[in-house]
């Protein structure tokens, strides 16, 4: 079986169906069994930073200069609205198709960038959202909890069946107010895609970094520092 290490941030199914030839580089994919945890301050912590507009969030995304040599930004694909059916995970089915496939969150203030690395199928994708702390927590938390609560299930997107396996990973302690992390393995047509997703809420900002496990680990601290910079 071929193994493709690829990425998308909350857009997993579309990427799996669209990405070209696979890469076998799984460096950095650590299959921990420890459950991810939410740590840090509560959503009602004393500080209440102002919410950021979409243009302001765009300036806080990583760019090629931040990432270094070998990264190329991909043009954003039009949003797809394929019919999605979930088999084997009723709780995820109840959240709807966007949750099942990692669809874009519905917060109005958002920005996104996706980069390929080294001319291969390895990618790293970043999404930023801004809203009240409670809304951000209530939007992302149930999706991570439900996806990792069903260890294996299947989704059918646009008529294509995709076998899914999810695994909680240790949350990155000491970053932001709340953290979530998971490893997703998607299989279809004899090809397997491994995606790591890590989300961090810091005040009224939510960062989601997804993609090749090695690239997510490499750039997480840098992404959060730029996203939360005060000047």
């Amino acid at each position: 079986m071929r193994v493709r290490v690829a990425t998308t941030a909350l857009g997993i199914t579309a990427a799996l169906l669209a990405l070209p030839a696979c890469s076998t580089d799984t460096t950095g994919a650590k299959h921990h069994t420890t459950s991810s945890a939410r740590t840090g301050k509560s959503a009602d912590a004393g500080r209440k930073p102002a919410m950021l507009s979409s243009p302001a969030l765009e300036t806080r995304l990583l760019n090629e200069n931040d990432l270094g040599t070998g990264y190329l930004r991909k043009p954003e694909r039009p949003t797809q609205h394929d019919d999605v059916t979930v088999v084997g995970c009723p709780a995820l089915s109840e959240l709807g198709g966007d949750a099942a496939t990692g669809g874009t969150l519905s917060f109005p203030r958002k920005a996104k960038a996706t980069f390929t690395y080294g001319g291969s199928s390895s990618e790293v994708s970043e999404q930023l959202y801004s809203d009240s702390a409670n809304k951000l927590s209530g939007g992302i938390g149930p999706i991570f909890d439900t996806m990792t609560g069903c260890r294996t299930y299947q989704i059918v997107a646009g008529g294509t069946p995709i076998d899914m396996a999810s695994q909680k990973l240790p949350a990155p302690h000491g970053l932001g107010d709340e953290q979530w992390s998971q490893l997703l393995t998607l299989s279809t047509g004899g090809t397997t895609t491994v995606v790591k997703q890590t989300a961090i809420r810091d005040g009224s900002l939510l960062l989601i970094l997804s993609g090749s496990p090695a690239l997510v680990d490499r750039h997480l601290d840098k992404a959060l520092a730029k996203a939360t910079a005060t000047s």
Side-chain angles (χ1 to χ4, degrees):
M1 177 178 291
R2 296 177 295 164
V3 176
R4 174 193 298 161
V5 177
T7 180
T8 104
L10 299 183
I12 300 167
T13 303
L16 178 61
L17 300 179
L19 283 174
C22 66
S23 165
T24 57
D25 177 14
T26 57
T27 303
K30 300 178 181 178
H31 294 249
H32 297 291
T33 57
T34 306
S35 296
S36 61
R38 301 181 188 181
T39 61
K41 293 159 285 185
S42 71
D44 295 319
R47 64 183 181 88
K48 295 183 179 180
M51 288 180 283
L52 299 171
S53 65
S54 294
L57 290 172
E58 185 73 30
T59 67
R60 296 178 180 230
L61 290 168
L62 294 174
N63 56 41
E64 289 94 334
N65 292 332
D66 299 318
L67 294 169
T69 304
Y71 291 87
L72 180 65
R73 184 164 180 172
K74 292 180 62 177
E76 293 301 323
R77 296 175 57 85
T79 302
Q80 297 182 350
H81 297 285
D82 293 331
D83 292 335
V84 174
T85 302
V86 180
V87 180
C89 185
L92 188 58
S93 182
E94 290 179 5
L95 287 181
D98 280 349
T101 60
T104 303
L105 298 177
S106 59
F107 301 112
R109 303 175 185 88
K110 57 190 175 184
K112 177 183 178 181
T114 301
F115 301 87
T116 59
Y117 175 64
S120 70
S121 61
S122 293
E123 300 181 7
V124 63
S125 183
E126 178 185 12
Q127 285 192 5
L128 295 177
Y129 300 91
S130 187
D131 212 314
S132 70
N134 285 331
K135 287 183 178 179
L136 293 175
S137 296
I140 189 64
I143 294 177
F144 267 81
D145 291 344
T146 303
M147 291 181 76
T148 55
C150 293
R151 298 297 299 273
T152 60
Y153 54 96
Q154 185 182 77
I155 61 176
V156 181
T160 301
I162 304 171
D163 294 322
M164 306 280 293
S166 62
Q167 183 177 7
K168 286 186 179 182
L169 296 178
H173 294 286
L175 298 179
D177 300 318
E178 290 183 285
Q179 313 86 19
W180 302 262
S181 192
Q182 65 179 335
L183 193 73
L184 298 172
T185 303
L186 304 82
S187 303
T188 187
T191 298
T192 296
T193 302
V194 179
V195 176
K196 182 173 183 178
Q197 289 189 315
T198 297
I200 299 174
R201 183 191 64 79
D202 188 281
S204 60
L205 185 141
L206 175 66
L207 161 70
I208 303 171
L209 203 63
S210 304
S212 163
L215 299 185
V216 171
D217 292 342
R218 184 182 305 169
H219 297 297
L220 181 62
D221 288 355
K222 186 184 303 181
L224 183 63
K226 183 171 184 179
T228 58
T230 57
S231 61

